[in-house]
Amino acid sequence: EPEVTQTPSHQVTQMGQEVILRCVPISNHLYFYWYRQILGQKVEFLVSFYNNEISEKSEIFDDQFSVERPDGSNFTLKIRSTKLEDSAMYFCASRSDRAEETQYFGPGTRLLVL
Amino acid sequence: DQQVKQNSPSLSVQEGRISILNCDYTNSMFDYFLWYKKYPAEGPTFLISISSIKDKNEDGRFTVFLNKSAKHLSLHIVPSQPGDSAVYFCAVSIFFGNEKLTFGTGTRLTIIP
């Protein structure tokens, strides 16, 4: 069964450094998402992406965040200057354009900012 | 952000019995409701969904009930199995034109053999 993959599974970085989290969505999917879950808290929406542009973003997704689909398979989340509070599990998700199709999530990248 | 609440952080159920997980929401604009299951170190896995035009949807051992007037949905698992032990999240969206899912805080379900 096709699945969303994410790399790396874990990343440790120093505060102020840039990180890029990578996702390979399911191949025929057209809608892409990033969510995060801070330890002990709920899963929170960050951004949705369709047709090479952001379709919606949350207030968490400020100027420090950006997303890109650099080629036909990868979908990336960049954090330009990480803060301690960016430490979280980051989930990528994708879905097809079929009506009522759900979002399928990847296994996540655990980001720790020191 | 308290738009979606799961008031029971944990629930223990004997194997073979029914597990009932509950979720309340505040925004009547939500019209698509989902349940996800999550194991440690994995991403959420879709279980079952329901749109606001229905009040019940079944898929095998899983049934989701929607009470729009009460802004309440529930997930019934029967019979419960040890492999059902996980964290369950309800999620909601305004389906058309709003892509984001808003998640509840989760309920940790433990099935006792």
Side-chain angles (χ1 to χ4, degrees):
Chain A
E1 187 173 323
E3 58 183 19
V4 177
T5 59
Q6 290 185 243
T7 54
S9 57
H10 294 79
Q11 173 124 22
V12 181
T13 190
Q14 295 291 322
M15 189 170 59
Q17 294 295 304
E18 174 183 287
V19 295
I20 297 176
L21 309 183
R22 290 183 168 80
C23 169
V24 178
I26 295 172
S27 64
N28 62 343
H29 285 188
L30 300 177
Y31 295 84
F32 314 112
Y33 311 85
W34 284 100
Y35 291 80
R36 78 172 186 190
Q37 185 182 27
I38 295 171
L39 188 64
Q41 298 187 22
K42 60 174 69 177
V43 176
E44 301 174 290
F45 169 81
L46 292 178
V47 66
S48 58
F49 190 87
Y50 171 72
N51 200 24
N52 278 323
E53 59 184 30
I54 291 173
S55 46
E56 185 169 0
K57 60 183 181 179
S58 72
E59 56 202 29
I60 303 167
F61 194 90
D62 61 21
D63 292 344
Q64 293 301 310
F65 291 86
S66 63
V67 289
E68 193 178 29
R69 187 153 162 81
D71 54 41
S73 59
N74 290 285
F75 180 51
T76 62
L77 174 69
K78 182 193 291 186
I79 309 175
R80 287 190 183 81
S81 177
T82 49
K83 302 189 275 281
L84 296 177
E85 54 266 36
D86 293 328
S87 295
M89 195 76 169
Y90 287 81
F91 296 106
C92 172
S94 70
R95 76 170 181 90
S96 75
D97 62 351
R98 293 203 313 264
E100 295 202 357
E101 181 61 49
T102 189
Q103 296 178 25
Y104 292 87
F105 283 76
T109 293
R110 183 172 296 284
L111 176 66
L112 179 60
V113 182
L114 302 175
Chain B
D1 178 6
Q2 294 293 312
Q3 292 194 79
V4 185
K5 286 196 287 189
Q6 294 176 253
N7 289 321
S8 299
S10 63
L11 177 67
S12 293
V13 174
Q14 205 76 32
E15 181 180 358
R17 306 294 288 268
I18 184 171
S19 296
I20 300 175
L21 298 102
N22 295 300
C23 178
D24 296 292
Y25 60 96
T26 56
N27 189 342
S28 57
M29 294 290 289
F30 292 134
D31 65 0
Y32 189 52
F33 307 89
L34 309 93
W35 284 95
Y36 281 84
K37 172 178 171 179
K38 187 180 179 304
Y39 294 116
E42 294 185 14
T45 301
F46 170 73
L47 269 180
I48 192 168
S49 64
I50 188 168
S51 68
S52 60
I53 60 172
K54 297 182 180 178
D55 55 18
K56 177 182 172 182
N57 188 28
E58 279 183 83
D59 184 1
R61 296 186 297 115
F62 302 93
T63 303
V64 57
F65 295 92
L66 176 63
N67 182 333
K68 291 187 289 293
S69 60
K71 298 192 185 67
H72 177 85
L73 70 154
S74 62
L75 174 69
H76 293 208
I77 307 172
V78 57
S80 301
Q81 298 174 353
D84 296 330
S85 295
V87 178
Y88 289 77
F89 293 95
C90 64
V92 302
S93 77
I94 302 169
F95 183 66
F96 292 106
N98 184 321
E99 287 293 329
K100 76 175 193 181
L101 294 178
T102 300
F103 282 83
T105 47
T107 296
R108 181 176 301 279
L109 176 65
T110 302
I111 305 302
I112 304 163

